[in-house]
Amino acid sequence: MHAPEFLTLADDPVLDLLNTEDLVGNGRYDFLQTDDDTVAWMKMMGFLDELYEPSFMRGDLLKKLRALRDVVRKLVTQRKSGNAVDIAALNAFLVHARYHIKLVRSVNGQLAVIHEYERSTPEQVLAGVAEAAAELLAVGDFERVKKCENDKCVRWFYDKTKAHCRRWCSMSLCGNRHKVANFRARQRSALLHK
Ligand SMILES: [Zn+2]
């Protein structure tokens, strides 16, 4: 299965979901193009186990994850700007979630409590993602949920630095560009004031 190179720079899987939609040049690029992409992304983020194979109508899973992403983007933006969060929009996804609680033993013998989700419908497959989004909205520290400061960049991240000082989705993608632009601006102004 060919999987595109998903961005994993957000330090949070829900914000990484938002970053599967990116800007390339002046256009929007969607890293999620097929059901396979959807499954690959969910496996990479730990929402599905490696052996999972979907068996739905073609395109269903992709369509539903894209719809969930739109809702999460809207709600994260609302929460970040201090507006009322449209909880009904996310509850429309959460209502499908069914799970059992299970005590499991990992290979190193450690015990963990997990949610074992039912996966009879595409919505149920996405339940873990919807739940993680609800958790982020409810208990996430939105001082640390940030959009990259580059206004030409649409990526989000969770700032886990001690001093809350992260400004860029990635130093190499946006931070350095900013530094270079600043340097050039300083050079220009130095020349003008000579
Ligand atoms: Zn950026």
Side-chain angles (χ1 to χ4, degrees):
M1 179 165 50
H2 168 77
E5 301 227 348
F6 299 114
L7 295 172
T8 53
L9 44 78
D11 259 339
D12 181 280
V14 176
L15 298 175
D16 272 324
L17 173 64
L18 300 186
N19 296 344
T20 58
E21 217 174 7
D22 207 9
L23 281 180
V24 175
N26 290 322
R28 199 180 64 100
Y29 179 75
D30 196 337
F31 283 89
L32 302 175
Q33 296 285 345
T34 64
D35 289 329
D36 281 353
D37 295 344
T38 306
V39 170
W41 182 83
M42 289 183 70
K43 285 182 179 176
M44 194 177 82
M45 292 295 160
F47 289 113
L48 287 174
D49 50 77
E50 276 308 312
L51 299 174
Y52 175 80
E53 296 258 5
S55 53
F56 306 114
M57 289 268 291
R58 212 171 132 203
D60 249 14
L61 211 48
L62 172 69
K63 202 170 81 190
K64 296 277 157 56
L65 184 58
R66 281 177 167 176
L68 176 58
R69 183 179 60 188
D70 286 347
V71 165
V72 174
R73 185 183 308 285
K74 186 174 106 184
L75 271 55
V76 163
T77 309
Q78 287 171 336
R79 175 91 159 76
K80 181 68 186 172
S81 55
N83 292 325
V85 172
D86 178 11
I87 53 177
L90 188 56
N91 278 334
F93 285 87
L94 292 166
V95 72
H96 299 279
R98 300 276 181 281
Y99 63 77
H100 308 281
I101 300 166
K102 202 173 170 186
L103 184 62
V104 294
R105 196 190 319 271
S106 66
V107 269
N108 61 10
Q110 220 163 17
L111 298 179
V113 183
I114 62 157
H115 290 174
E116 197 170 62
Y117 292 95
E118 276 181 35
R119 287 174 185 155
S120 312
T121 66
E123 287 86 353
Q124 287 186 337
V125 172
L126 302 180
V129 183
E131 188 184 356
E135 288 282 342
L136 176 70
L137 289 160
V139 300
D141 175 358
F142 269 69
E143 291 290 308
R144 289 178 179 259
V145 172
K146 297 178 178 176
K147 209 201 111 290
C148 179
E149 282 188 26
N150 176 359
D151 45 353
K152 291 192 182 78
C153 176
V154 292
R155 300 183 195 117
W156 287 82
F157 58 87
Y158 202 102
D159 181 357
K160 292 196 172 164
T161 60
K162 253 192 191 151
H164 298 216
C165 60
R166 182 170 165 191
R167 300 172 63 195
W168 316 107
C169 63
S170 138
M171 202 59 202
S172 59
L173 294 173
C174 286
N176 282 338
R177 202 171 298 168
H178 172 80
K179 261 201 216 156
V180 170
N182 257 358
F183 176 72
R184 295 227 174 98
R186 276 199 307 274
Q187 269 189 326
R188 254 196 317 272
S189 96
L191 282 172
L192 286 172
H193 294 102
K194 253 182 190 172

